Amino acid sequence: MDNKKMIKSAKNLDTIAKVGGICFRVVGIACIILTLVILALGSKINATHSISLDFIKMYLTDQVNINTGYMQIYLTVGLLVVSILCFMIDFGIKLIRRILAPMKEGRPFEADVPTNLKKIAWIVLAGGAVTQVVGIIERIVLMKACPAEQIVNMDVISKLEYTFTIDFTFVLAFCIVMFLSYIFSYGQILQKESDETL
């Protein structure tokens, strides 16, 4: 099967993937370095504190007591998770490049393609789950670092309600990529039968 358009597209996508992988690796390493800086400096880090609520951004005065220990945990967890996700994406990009390698030679239905697609599906599922769970943990830690009762006027508010949501879009993405792996697996069988016939 010699499809020049597919070969050219695969080569272009491989180049883009290679650059993307390098970028994600650099960001992952930078997040680890920033985490170490935050752990080393600890409470010495002083930043302007603000809270965003949809379209409203509130800048806090020095009278608000922000728990620097919880804030340090919040920043550390956030940076480590971003670092882990960057390395997971980098690994996913390596798998994509393995899929593109035979396509650059005009062979889209190689034996490793379905296996690599399944690995990508599991990375999507794991990455999505980690992102959602850690997102909730970060919100809880942020609530401890900067209690809302200090920020809002409790005389005009009857109660505060916190709502945590989980976005399950990553499960749909997992199902789609897994379904693609089955399609490529079937295509591989058809390709093998076609080659044996010839």
Side-chain angles (χ1 to χ4, degrees), residues 5-181:
K5 193 171 183 180
M6 181 188 69
I7 292 169
K8 184 180 177 184
S9 296
K11 286 180 180 177
N12 291 337
L13 287 172
D14 186 59
T15 303
I16 293 167
K18 185 177 181 180
V19 172
I22 293 168
C23 291
F24 278 107
R25 253 176 277 141
V26 168
V27 171
I29 292 167
C31 287
I32 291 172
I33 292 168
L34 280 172
T35 302
L36 295 173
V37 168
I38 288 170
L39 290 174
L41 297 178
S43 59
K44 295 177 185 176
I45 297 174
N46 194 5
T48 305
H49 304 293
S50 63
I51 296 177
S52 296
L53 303 171
D54 196 18
F55 63 94
I56 300 171
K57 189 164 187 176
M58 298 182 290
Y59 293 92
L60 308 178
T61 64
D62 294 336
Q63 295 173 347
V64 177
N65 295 323
I66 293 178
N67 187 320
T68 54
Y70 279 117
M71 190 56 77
Q72 188 176 6
I73 292 169
Y74 173 77
L75 293 171
T76 303
V77 168
L79 286 168
L80 285 176
V81 169
V82 169
S83 179
I84 290 167
L85 289 174
C86 283
F87 290 121
M88 287 175 77
I89 292 169
D90 178 45
F91 181 66
I93 288 172
K94 286 177 184 171
L95 293 173
I96 289 170
R97 293 190 69 208
R98 286 185 201 164
I99 292 168
L100 291 171
M103 288 184 183
K104 292 192 299 186
E105 298 169 7
R107 300 182 329 249
F109 297 110
E110 286 295 300
D112 292 340
V113 172
T115 305
N116 288 327
L117 279 170
K118 286 177 185 173
K119 288 178 184 177
I120 291 169
W122 286 109
I123 289 171
V124 167
L125 187 66
V130 166
T131 302
Q132 296 301 313
V133 170
V134 172
I136 290 174
I137 292 169
E138 280 185 323
R139 290 181 195 115
I140 292 168
V141 171
L142 192 57
M143 285 170 25
K144 298 279 187 188
C146 189
E149 293 83 9
Q150 292 182 26
I151 300 165
V152 296
N153 183 357
M154 291 307 290
D155 295 332
V156 294
I157 295 174
S158 62
K159 71 174 185 171
L160 293 171
E161 186 176 296
Y162 300 98
T163 305
F164 300 105
T165 58
I166 296 178
D167 181 7
F168 286 101
T169 308
F170 67 95
V171 177
L172 177 64
F174 165 78
C175 293
I176 290 169
V177 177
M178 194 61 81
F179 182 68
L180 282 173
S181 75

